[in-house]
Every structure is written in C-alpha cells, then in structure tokens.
Amino acid sequence: MDRTPYQLAFSVERVPAWSCPMCRAGFLTLDAKSFVRKETAASLREHEHPVWEPDWIRYVFSCIFECSNAKCKEPVACCGVGQVDLVDYEDEEFGWAQTTQDRFTPEYFQPHLLLMDIPTTCPSEVCDYLFESFTLFFSDPGASLNCARTAVEAVLTDLGIKRFAVVKNKRKPINLHQRILLLPQKYKEQVDLLLAVKWLGNSGSHDGDKPTAADVRITYDLLEHVLSEIYEEKGKKLKAMAKRVNKKKGLLK
C-alpha cells in the first residue's frame, strides 16, 4: 500500500488521504467542531523573548475524524502536537509577502490506522502484534519496530518453526535469527527479508541511533511482501500463470 499520506501532517483546512481503519473504503475527514488546540506553557513563555517569531509557537491538540463513507461514518479520535509555519507567497500588489499556517502532527489514533496490507488468512496473533505496531507508529518508532519484530516470531510459530531446543537435557529458547534460518526451502526467498526485519526490530530496543518512522515504513514494506508470499502465495500464483501462458504461447481460453 502507499504509505506516503501517513508521513504528512494536516491542517484544519486540509487532511491527507488517510484511509478509514474500519471500512477501508472512505477517508478520514476532520470534524472541525471537535478540534481543540492549545499553546504549550513553554511556548507561551517564549513570547516574552525579544526576538520572538510566530514560528516559535507549539501546540497540543485533540480532535475527532470521521469516515467519509456514508455507510460507515466511523469516528476516529486523534491527539498530537502542532506548530506554526511561516509561508512565503506572492502578493499581486506588494510582491513577496509572508503569512503563517498551523500544522499538526498526530501522535495517537483510536482506533489505530491500518499502515500495511495484511492478508485475510494471516493468523490473528500476527495481526495483533502488527496492530500494536500501528498504534505506536506515530509516537514511538522504536516500540513500533519491536512489535513488528514480535510479529515475525508469531509468523515462525504459525509455520511450525520450533521455539526451543534441548541442550544437555535443558530446554533453551532458540533466538529469532536462528529460527528464521530454520525456515524450510519453500520459504528461502523470505529469509533475507525476515532477517532485515529482525535487525530493524533489534534497533528499536538497543542504545545508539534512535529509529525513525522511515525505518518502520521500511519494515512494513518488507513484512507486507513476506506475508503476501506466505499467506497468499502471490508469487507462486503468478509463476503458475506465466507457465500456462508460455505453454499456450498466447491468450488463455
């Protein structure tokens, strides 16, 4: 799916094309009457600074979005932070001028948005970890990555990959890296992708550079492909279709 809209902030006048998490057919529209913003205490104190500019302003906000689909109309609560941007524009009379525009960045949605396509046959436990990742995506990329990593563990368990080994008569857990390498030959093309998700997930809990939303989006790209291949077998179906076309050497009847 196209995750570009979920990288964007919104204004009261314009909301990105965020899909309704319930029906997936409509888009979220802002209920302007529900929108509340308030300047933070720290931002208010900065007004006294001698070189204060409007783009120093910082807000917190809350609001309700509603699905545009008349058959759905699902309400979605949202809260987050905002700021004021200085925007240059060309005035016909005075030439270039400057105005201000409020911009708001969500940190939480309830219900959570759906940030990747998940096959309908995907196990519920895998979905639950992914949904938790979606909930944390806007506020805590590191925790969001950790949940995506745990979803991989759940996929492996669903595929029958063992979680423990007996060493010297003691039951010891097998780490995720080794479990991925235990995947059977039919999933060999997914091994590198799952290892990449593992490494990204590890970064969510280790010290060092903090993960960003971009890292989570990469993880979703990888997982979206892996889940499609495992639970929908799209690649296998396309290869079978190509084989039939090649055998016919033309149109299929």
Side-chain angles (χ1 to χ4, degrees), residues 46-77:
E46 288 181 338
H47 284 253
E48 301 174 6
H49 197 285
V51 295
W52 178 89
E53 293 286 346
D55 61 344
W56 291 23
I57 293 175
R58 295 294 181 268
Y59 300 113
V60 292
F61 78 87
S62 66
C63 65
I64 300 291
F65 291 98
E66 186 176 85
C67 177
S68 62
N69 180 2
K71 294 182 179 180
C72 178
K73 292 293 184 180
E74 179 72 20
V76 177

PDB file of all heavy atoms in Angstrom, residues 46-77:
ATOM      1  N   GLU A  46       7.819  31.824  25.809  1.00  0.00           N
ATOM      2  CA  GLU A  46       8.776  32.316  24.811  1.00  0.00           C
ATOM      3  C   GLU A  46       8.296  33.589  24.128  1.00  0.00           C
ATOM      4  O   GLU A  46       9.085  34.283  23.479  1.00  0.00           O
ATOM      5  CB  GLU A  46       9.049  31.229  23.774  1.00  0.00           C
ATOM      6  CG  GLU A  46       9.886  30.085  24.326  1.00  0.00           C
ATOM      7  CD  GLU A  46      10.169  29.021  23.285  1.00  0.00           C
ATOM      8  OE1 GLU A  46       9.404  28.937  22.296  1.00  0.00           O
ATOM      9  OE2 GLU A  46      11.154  28.283  23.458  1.00  0.00           O
ATOM     10  N   HIS A  47       7.025  33.934  24.262  1.00  0.00           N
ATOM     11  CA  HIS A  47       6.514  35.178  23.670  1.00  0.00           C
ATOM     12  C   HIS A  47       7.236  36.400  24.229  1.00  0.00           C
ATOM     13  O   HIS A  47       7.269  37.460  23.586  1.00  0.00           O
ATOM     14  CB  HIS A  47       5.008  35.312  23.935  1.00  0.00           C
ATOM     15  CG  HIS A  47       4.161  34.431  23.073  1.00  0.00           C
ATOM     16  ND1 HIS A  47       3.404  34.895  22.030  1.00  0.00           N
ATOM     17  CD2 HIS A  47       3.962  33.091  23.107  1.00  0.00           C
ATOM     18  CE1 HIS A  47       2.754  33.891  21.465  1.00  0.00           C
ATOM     19  NE2 HIS A  47       3.079  32.774  22.111  1.00  0.00           N
ATOM     20  N   GLU A  48       7.788  36.265  25.426  1.00  0.00           N
ATOM     21  CA  GLU A  48       8.473  37.395  26.057  1.00  0.00           C
ATOM     22  C   GLU A  48       9.885  37.603  25.522  1.00  0.00           C
ATOM     23  O   GLU A  48      10.528  38.603  25.833  1.00  0.00           O
ATOM     24  CB  GLU A  48       8.524  37.164  27.574  1.00  0.00           C
ATOM     25  CG  GLU A  48       7.147  37.027  28.216  1.00  0.00           C
ATOM     26  CD  GLU A  48       7.231  36.666  29.689  1.00  0.00           C
ATOM     27  OE1 GLU A  48       8.362  36.633  30.221  1.00  0.00           O
ATOM     28  OE2 GLU A  48       6.169  36.430  30.305  1.00  0.00           O
ATOM     29  N   HIS A  49      10.374  36.673  24.722  1.00  0.00           N
ATOM     30  CA  HIS A  49      11.729  36.792  24.182  1.00  0.00           C
ATOM     31  C   HIS A  49      11.783  37.950  23.187  1.00  0.00           C
ATOM     32  O   HIS A  49      10.871  38.129  22.377  1.00  0.00           O
ATOM     33  CB  HIS A  49      12.126  35.487  23.485  1.00  0.00           C
ATOM     34  CG  HIS A  49      13.590  35.351  23.251  1.00  0.00           C
ATOM     35  ND1 HIS A  49      14.267  36.040  22.268  1.00  0.00           N
ATOM     36  CD2 HIS A  49      14.530  34.607  23.909  1.00  0.00           C
ATOM     37  CE1 HIS A  49      15.534  35.718  22.304  1.00  0.00           C
ATOM     38  NE2 HIS A  49      15.729  34.854  23.290  1.00  0.00           N
ATOM     39  N   PRO A  50      12.847  38.767  23.221  1.00  0.00           N
ATOM     40  CA  PRO A  50      12.910  39.964  22.357  1.00  0.00           C
ATOM     41  C   PRO A  50      12.918  39.663  20.857  1.00  0.00           C
ATOM     42  O   PRO A  50      12.550  40.537  20.063  1.00  0.00           O
ATOM     43  CB  PRO A  50      14.221  40.637  22.797  1.00  0.00           C
ATOM     44  CG  PRO A  50      14.999  39.581  23.514  1.00  0.00           C
ATOM     45  CD  PRO A  50      13.995  38.690  24.140  1.00  0.00           C
ATOM     46  N   VAL A  51      13.341  38.478  20.461  1.00  0.00           N
ATOM     47  CA  VAL A  51      13.364  38.172  19.020  1.00  0.00           C
ATOM     48  C   VAL A  51      12.317  37.109  18.658  1.00  0.00           C
ATOM     49  O   VAL A  51      12.437  36.412  17.657  1.00  0.00           O
ATOM     50  CB  VAL A  51      14.767  37.713  18.573  1.00  0.00           C
ATOM     51  CG1 VAL A  51      15.768  38.839  18.718  1.00  0.00           C
ATOM     52  CG2 VAL A  51      15.218  36.463  19.339  1.00  0.00           C
ATOM     53  N   TRP A  52      11.297  37.020  19.493  1.00  0.00           N
ATOM     54  CA  TRP A  52      10.252  36.011  19.264  1.00  0.00           C
ATOM     55  C   TRP A  52       9.631  36.150  17.884  1.00  0.00           C
ATOM     56  O   TRP A  52       9.414  37.259  17.391  1.00  0.00           O
ATOM     57  CB  TRP A  52       9.169  36.148  20.334  1.00  0.00           C
ATOM     58  CG  TRP A  52       8.022  35.181  20.159  1.00  0.00           C
ATOM     59  CD1 TRP A  52       7.932  33.931  20.664  1.00  0.00           C
ATOM     60  CD2 TRP A  52       6.802  35.417  19.441  1.00  0.00           C
ATOM     61  NE1 TRP A  52       6.742  33.346  20.307  1.00  0.00           N
ATOM     62  CE2 TRP A  52       6.022  34.241  19.544  1.00  0.00           C
ATOM     63  CE3 TRP A  52       6.300  36.494  18.703  1.00  0.00           C
ATOM     64  CZ2 TRP A  52       4.765  34.113  18.960  1.00  0.00           C
ATOM     65  CZ3 TRP A  52       5.052  36.374  18.113  1.00  0.00           C
ATOM     66  CH2 TRP A  52       4.294  35.192  18.244  1.00  0.00           C
ATOM     67  N   GLU A  53       9.388  34.996  17.253  1.00  0.00           N
ATOM     68  CA  GLU A  53       8.697  34.946  15.965  1.00  0.00           C
ATOM     69  C   GLU A  53       7.531  33.965  16.078  1.00  0.00           C
ATOM     70  O   GLU A  53       7.563  33.027  16.881  1.00  0.00           O
ATOM     71  CB  GLU A  53       9.651  34.479  14.855  1.00  0.00           C
ATOM     72  CG  GLU A  53      10.778  35.439  14.525  1.00  0.00           C
ATOM     73  CD  GLU A  53      10.317  36.665  13.741  1.00  0.00           C
ATOM     74  OE1 GLU A  53       9.167  36.633  13.230  1.00  0.00           O
ATOM     75  OE2 GLU A  53      11.080  37.635  13.644  1.00  0.00           O
ATOM     76  N   PRO A  54       6.492  34.150  15.259  1.00  0.00           N
ATOM     77  CA  PRO A  54       5.328  33.256  15.338  1.00  0.00           C
ATOM     78  C   PRO A  54       5.653  31.775  15.144  1.00  0.00           C
ATOM     79  O   PRO A  54       4.955  30.908  15.690  1.00  0.00           O
ATOM     80  CB  PRO A  54       4.418  33.767  14.209  1.00  0.00           C
ATOM     81  CG  PRO A  54       4.801  35.204  14.048  1.00  0.00           C
ATOM     82  CD  PRO A  54       6.274  35.250  14.314  1.00  0.00           C
ATOM     83  N   ASP A  55       6.717  31.485  14.386  1.00  0.00           N
ATOM     84  CA  ASP A  55       7.028  30.068  14.152  1.00  0.00           C
ATOM     85  C   ASP A  55       7.681  29.399  15.355  1.00  0.00           C
ATOM     86  O   ASP A  55       8.050  28.225  15.284  1.00  0.00           O
ATOM     87  CB  ASP A  55       7.886  29.893  12.896  1.00  0.00           C
ATOM     88  CG  ASP A  55       9.213  30.605  12.970  1.00  0.00           C
ATOM     89  OD1 ASP A  55       9.389  31.477  13.840  1.00  0.00           O
ATOM     90  OD2 ASP A  55      10.102  30.289  12.159  1.00  0.00           O
ATOM     91  N   TRP A  56       7.780  30.134  16.476  1.00  0.00           N
ATOM     92  CA  TRP A  56       8.220  29.512  17.726  1.00  0.00           C
ATOM     93  C   TRP A  56       7.045  28.814  18.427  1.00  0.00           C
ATOM     94  O   TRP A  56       7.241  28.024  19.356  1.00  0.00           O
ATOM     95  CB  TRP A  56       8.793  30.560  18.682  1.00  0.00           C
ATOM     96  CG  TRP A  56      10.099  31.163  18.246  1.00  0.00           C
ATOM     97  CD1 TRP A  56      10.609  31.239  16.977  1.00  0.00           C
ATOM     98  CD2 TRP A  56      11.050  31.808  19.094  1.00  0.00           C
ATOM     99  NE1 TRP A  56      11.807  31.893  16.972  1.00  0.00           N
ATOM    100  CE2 TRP A  56      12.109  32.260  18.259  1.00  0.00           C
ATOM    101  CE3 TRP A  56      11.108  32.077  20.456  1.00  0.00           C
ATOM    102  CZ2 TRP A  56      13.215  32.940  18.767  1.00  0.00           C
ATOM    103  CZ3 TRP A  56      12.205  32.758  20.970  1.00  0.00           C
ATOM    104  CH2 TRP A  56      13.252  33.172  20.116  1.00  0.00           C
ATOM    105  N   ILE A  57       5.839  29.096  18.005  1.00  0.00           N
ATOM    106  CA  ILE A  57       4.646  28.586  18.689  1.00  0.00           C
ATOM    107  C   ILE A  57       4.555  27.069  18.567  1.00  0.00           C
ATOM    108  O   ILE A  57       4.763  26.497  17.492  1.00  0.00           O
ATOM    109  CB  ILE A  57       3.369  29.240  18.108  1.00  0.00           C
ATOM    110  CG1 ILE A  57       3.354  30.739  18.462  1.00  0.00           C
ATOM    111  CG2 ILE A  57       2.114  28.549  18.631  1.00  0.00           C
ATOM    112  CD1 ILE A  57       2.186  31.494  17.831  1.00  0.00           C
ATOM    113  N   ARG A  58       4.210  26.433  19.678  1.00  0.00           N
ATOM    114  CA  ARG A  58       3.996  24.990  19.720  1.00  0.00           C
ATOM    115  C   ARG A  58       2.658  24.702  20.406  1.00  0.00           C
ATOM    116  O   ARG A  58       2.306  25.344  21.395  1.00  0.00           O
ATOM    117  CB  ARG A  58       5.132  24.284  20.478  1.00  0.00           C
ATOM    118  CG  ARG A  58       6.496  24.402  19.803  1.00  0.00           C
ATOM    119  CD  ARG A  58       6.514  23.663  18.478  1.00  0.00           C
ATOM    120  NE  ARG A  58       7.805  23.732  17.811  1.00  0.00           N
ATOM    121  CZ  ARG A  58       8.157  24.662  16.922  1.00  0.00           C
ATOM    122  NH1 ARG A  58       7.302  25.646  16.633  1.00  0.00           N
ATOM    123  NH2 ARG A  58       9.330  24.633  16.348  1.00  0.00           N
ATOM    124  N   TYR A  59       1.928  23.718  19.855  1.00  0.00           N
ATOM    125  CA  TYR A  59       0.609  23.375  20.370  1.00  0.00           C
ATOM    126  C   TYR A  59       0.549  21.914  20.827  1.00  0.00           C
ATOM    127  O   TYR A  59       1.364  21.084  20.416  1.00  0.00           O
ATOM    128  CB  TYR A  59      -0.459  23.497  19.266  1.00  0.00           C
ATOM    129  CG  TYR A  59      -0.638  24.840  18.635  1.00  0.00           C
ATOM    130  CD1 TYR A  59      -0.293  25.049  17.288  1.00  0.00           C
ATOM    131  CD2 TYR A  59      -1.228  25.903  19.335  1.00  0.00           C
ATOM    132  CE1 TYR A  59      -0.502  26.271  16.682  1.00  0.00           C
ATOM    133  CE2 TYR A  59      -1.439  27.130  18.720  1.00  0.00           C
ATOM    134  CZ  TYR A  59      -1.070  27.310  17.394  1.00  0.00           C
ATOM    135  OH  TYR A  59      -1.281  28.525  16.777  1.00  0.00           O
ATOM    136  N   VAL A  60      -0.465  21.604  21.592  1.00  0.00           N
ATOM    137  CA  VAL A  60      -1.005  20.247  21.697  1.00  0.00           C
ATOM    138  C   VAL A  60      -2.434  20.336  21.160  1.00  0.00           C
ATOM    139  O   VAL A  60      -3.059  21.401  21.202  1.00  0.00           O
ATOM    140  CB  VAL A  60      -1.002  19.707  23.137  1.00  0.00           C
ATOM    141  CG1 VAL A  60       0.413  19.472  23.615  1.00  0.00           C
ATOM    142  CG2 VAL A  60      -1.743  20.654  24.090  1.00  0.00           C
ATOM    143  N   PHE A  61      -2.948  19.204  20.633  1.00  0.00           N
ATOM    144  CA  PHE A  61      -4.291  19.242  20.069  1.00  0.00           C
ATOM    145  C   PHE A  61      -4.998  17.913  20.289  1.00  0.00           C
ATOM    146  O   PHE A  61      -4.372  16.869  20.537  1.00  0.00           O
ATOM    147  CB  PHE A  61      -4.244  19.554  18.567  1.00  0.00           C
ATOM    148  CG  PHE A  61      -3.874  18.381  17.704  1.00  0.00           C
ATOM    149  CD1 PHE A  61      -4.843  17.488  17.252  1.00  0.00           C
ATOM    150  CD2 PHE A  61      -2.544  18.132  17.363  1.00  0.00           C
ATOM    151  CE1 PHE A  61      -4.504  16.389  16.478  1.00  0.00           C
ATOM    152  CE2 PHE A  61      -2.194  17.035  16.596  1.00  0.00           C
ATOM    153  CZ  PHE A  61      -3.175  16.164  16.151  1.00  0.00           C
ATOM    154  N   SER A  62      -6.306  17.956  20.156  1.00  0.00           N
ATOM    155  CA  SER A  62      -7.122  16.742  20.091  1.00  0.00           C
ATOM    156  C   SER A  62      -8.278  17.017  19.143  1.00  0.00           C
ATOM    157  O   SER A  62      -8.680  18.169  18.956  1.00  0.00           O
ATOM    158  CB  SER A  62      -7.651  16.344  21.470  1.00  0.00           C
ATOM    159  OG  SER A  62      -8.562  17.318  21.954  1.00  0.00           O
ATOM    160  N   CYS A  63      -8.789  15.943  18.525  1.00  0.00           N
ATOM    161  CA  CYS A  63      -9.888  16.118  17.582  1.00  0.00           C
ATOM    162  C   CYS A  63     -10.511  14.764  17.260  1.00  0.00           C
ATOM    163  O   CYS A  63     -10.010  13.715  17.673  1.00  0.00           O
ATOM    164  CB  CYS A  63      -9.417  16.790  16.284  1.00  0.00           C
ATOM    165  SG  CYS A  63      -8.245  15.806  15.326  1.00  0.00           S
ATOM    166  N   ILE A  64     -11.596  14.821  16.503  1.00  0.00           N
ATOM    167  CA  ILE A  64     -12.260  13.622  16.008  1.00  0.00           C
ATOM    168  C   ILE A  64     -12.288  13.697  14.481  1.00  0.00           C
ATOM    169  O   ILE A  64     -12.677  14.720  13.909  1.00  0.00           O
ATOM    170  CB  ILE A  64     -13.709  13.493  16.529  1.00  0.00           C
ATOM    171  CG1 ILE A  64     -13.741  13.429  18.057  1.00  0.00           C
ATOM    172  CG2 ILE A  64     -14.399  12.265  15.915  1.00  0.00           C
ATOM    173  CD1 ILE A  64     -13.166  12.161  18.639  1.00  0.00           C
ATOM    174  N   PHE A  65     -11.857  12.626  13.846  1.00  0.00           N
ATOM    175  CA  PHE A  65     -12.049  12.475  12.408  1.00  0.00           C
ATOM    176  C   PHE A  65     -13.244  11.553  12.189  1.00  0.00           C
ATOM    177  O   PHE A  65     -13.615  10.773  13.068  1.00  0.00           O
ATOM    178  CB  PHE A  65     -10.798  11.871  11.752  1.00  0.00           C
ATOM    179  CG  PHE A  65      -9.612  12.776  11.749  1.00  0.00           C
ATOM    180  CD1 PHE A  65      -8.617  12.640  12.719  1.00  0.00           C
ATOM    181  CD2 PHE A  65      -9.468  13.769  10.789  1.00  0.00           C
ATOM    182  CE1 PHE A  65      -7.515  13.479  12.726  1.00  0.00           C
ATOM    183  CE2 PHE A  65      -8.370  14.612  10.787  1.00  0.00           C
ATOM    184  CZ  PHE A  65      -7.386  14.466  11.749  1.00  0.00           C
ATOM    185  N   GLU A  66     -13.818  11.639  10.999  1.00  0.00           N
ATOM    186  CA  GLU A  66     -14.944  10.766  10.668  1.00  0.00           C
ATOM    187  C   GLU A  66     -14.772  10.223   9.262  1.00  0.00           C
ATOM    188  O   GLU A  66     -14.301  10.929   8.363  1.00  0.00           O
ATOM    189  CB  GLU A  66     -16.260  11.543  10.758  1.00  0.00           C
ATOM    190  CG  GLU A  66     -17.499  10.675  10.570  1.00  0.00           C
ATOM    191  CD  GLU A  66     -18.776  11.456  10.770  1.00  0.00           C
ATOM    192  OE1 GLU A  66     -19.248  12.086   9.798  1.00  0.00           O
ATOM    193  OE2 GLU A  66     -19.302  11.440  11.901  1.00  0.00           O
ATOM    194  N   CYS A  67     -15.147   8.958   9.071  1.00  0.00           N
ATOM    195  CA  CYS A  67     -15.037   8.332   7.760  1.00  0.00           C
ATOM    196  C   CYS A  67     -15.986   9.013   6.777  1.00  0.00           C
ATOM    197  O   CYS A  67     -17.149   9.290   7.093  1.00  0.00           O
ATOM    198  CB  CYS A  67     -15.362   6.843   7.864  1.00  0.00           C
ATOM    199  SG  CYS A  67     -15.345   5.987   6.272  1.00  0.00           S
ATOM    200  N   SER A  68     -15.489   9.259   5.573  1.00  0.00           N
ATOM    201  CA  SER A  68     -16.283   9.925   4.539  1.00  0.00           C
ATOM    202  C   SER A  68     -17.305   9.003   3.898  1.00  0.00           C
ATOM    203  O   SER A  68     -18.203   9.454   3.185  1.00  0.00           O
ATOM    204  CB  SER A  68     -15.358  10.486   3.449  1.00  0.00           C
ATOM    205  OG  SER A  68     -14.641   9.427   2.813  1.00  0.00           O
ATOM    206  N   ASN A  69     -17.171   7.700   4.143  1.00  0.00           N
ATOM    207  CA  ASN A  69     -18.091   6.730   3.567  1.00  0.00           C
ATOM    208  C   ASN A  69     -19.430   6.800   4.318  1.00  0.00           C
ATOM    209  O   ASN A  69     -19.497   6.529   5.513  1.00  0.00           O
ATOM    210  CB  ASN A  69     -17.494   5.325   3.680  1.00  0.00           C
ATOM    211  CG  ASN A  69     -18.386   4.246   3.116  1.00  0.00           C
ATOM    212  OD1 ASN A  69     -19.468   4.513   2.595  1.00  0.00           O
ATOM    213  ND2 ASN A  69     -17.940   3.002   3.225  1.00  0.00           N
ATOM    214  N   ALA A  70     -20.489   7.156   3.604  1.00  0.00           N
ATOM    215  CA  ALA A  70     -21.807   7.340   4.230  1.00  0.00           C
ATOM    216  C   ALA A  70     -22.304   6.071   4.911  1.00  0.00           C
ATOM    217  O   ALA A  70     -23.099   6.135   5.856  1.00  0.00           O
ATOM    218  CB  ALA A  70     -22.814   7.807   3.187  1.00  0.00           C
ATOM    219  N   LYS A  71     -21.838   4.910   4.478  1.00  0.00           N
ATOM    220  CA  LYS A  71     -22.267   3.650   5.071  1.00  0.00           C
ATOM    221  C   LYS A  71     -21.430   3.265   6.291  1.00  0.00           C
ATOM    222  O   LYS A  71     -21.707   2.261   6.938  1.00  0.00           O
ATOM    223  CB  LYS A  71     -22.208   2.541   4.038  1.00  0.00           C
ATOM    224  CG  LYS A  71     -23.197   2.717   2.889  1.00  0.00           C
ATOM    225  CD  LYS A  71     -23.113   1.550   1.915  1.00  0.00           C
ATOM    226  CE  LYS A  71     -24.122   1.706   0.790  1.00  0.00           C
ATOM    227  NZ  LYS A  71     -24.057   0.569  -0.178  1.00  0.00           N
ATOM    228  N   CYS A  72     -20.418   4.050   6.574  1.00  0.00           N
ATOM    229  CA  CYS A  72     -19.523   3.742   7.697  1.00  0.00           C
ATOM    230  C   CYS A  72     -19.595   4.833   8.774  1.00  0.00           C
ATOM    231  O   CYS A  72     -20.073   4.598   9.878  1.00  0.00           O
ATOM    232  CB  CYS A  72     -18.092   3.583   7.187  1.00  0.00           C
ATOM    233  SG  CYS A  72     -16.872   3.244   8.495  1.00  0.00           S
ATOM    234  N   LYS A  73     -19.092   6.015   8.452  1.00  0.00           N
ATOM    235  CA  LYS A  73     -19.099   7.166   9.366  1.00  0.00           C
ATOM    236  C   LYS A  73     -18.393   6.886  10.693  1.00  0.00           C
ATOM    237  O   LYS A  73     -18.736   7.443  11.739  1.00  0.00           O
ATOM    238  CB  LYS A  73     -20.538   7.624   9.650  1.00  0.00           C
ATOM    239  CG  LYS A  73     -21.253   8.240   8.451  1.00  0.00           C
ATOM    240  CD  LYS A  73     -20.614   9.556   8.056  1.00  0.00           C
ATOM    241  CE  LYS A  73     -21.360  10.227   6.935  1.00  0.00           C
ATOM    242  NZ  LYS A  73     -20.737  11.517   6.540  1.00  0.00           N
ATOM    243  N   GLU A  74     -17.416   5.980  10.672  1.00  0.00           N
ATOM    244  CA  GLU A  74     -16.695   5.630  11.901  1.00  0.00           C
ATOM    245  C   GLU A  74     -15.950   6.845  12.457  1.00  0.00           C
ATOM    246  O   GLU A  74     -15.217   7.524  11.728  1.00  0.00           O
ATOM    247  CB  GLU A  74     -15.690   4.516  11.618  1.00  0.00           C
ATOM    248  CG  GLU A  74     -14.860   4.088  12.817  1.00  0.00           C
ATOM    249  CD  GLU A  74     -15.674   3.310  13.841  1.00  0.00           C
ATOM    250  OE1 GLU A  74     -16.746   2.786  13.477  1.00  0.00           O
ATOM    251  OE2 GLU A  74     -15.229   3.222  14.997  1.00  0.00           O
ATOM    252  N   PRO A  75     -16.112   7.168  13.760  1.00  0.00           N
ATOM    253  CA  PRO A  75     -15.312   8.236  14.362  1.00  0.00           C
ATOM    254  C   PRO A  75     -13.935   7.721  14.773  1.00  0.00           C
ATOM    255  O   PRO A  75     -13.812   6.593  15.250  1.00  0.00           O
ATOM    256  CB  PRO A  75     -16.144   8.637  15.584  1.00  0.00           C
ATOM    257  CG  PRO A  75     -16.854   7.377  15.962  1.00  0.00           C
ATOM    258  CD  PRO A  75     -17.110   6.618  14.677  1.00  0.00           C
ATOM    259  N   VAL A  76     -12.936   8.542  14.586  1.00  0.00           N
ATOM    260  CA  VAL A  76     -11.561   8.188  14.962  1.00  0.00           C
ATOM    261  C   VAL A  76     -10.988   9.337  15.785  1.00  0.00           C
ATOM    262  O   VAL A  76     -10.875  10.466  15.292  1.00  0.00           O
ATOM    263  CB  VAL A  76     -10.682   7.939  13.724  1.00  0.00           C
ATOM    264  CG1 VAL A  76      -9.244   7.651  14.144  1.00  0.00           C
ATOM    265  CG2 VAL A  76     -11.242   6.783  12.896  1.00  0.00           C
ATOM    266  N   ALA A  77     -10.642   9.057  17.029  1.00  0.00           N
ATOM    267  CA  ALA A  77     -10.058  10.077  17.899  1.00  0.00           C
ATOM    268  C   ALA A  77      -8.575  10.239  17.586  1.00  0.00           C
ATOM    269  O   ALA A  77      -7.900   9.281  17.207  1.00  0.00           O
ATOM    270  CB  ALA A  77     -10.245   9.695  19.363  1.00  0.00           C
TER     271      ALA A  77
END
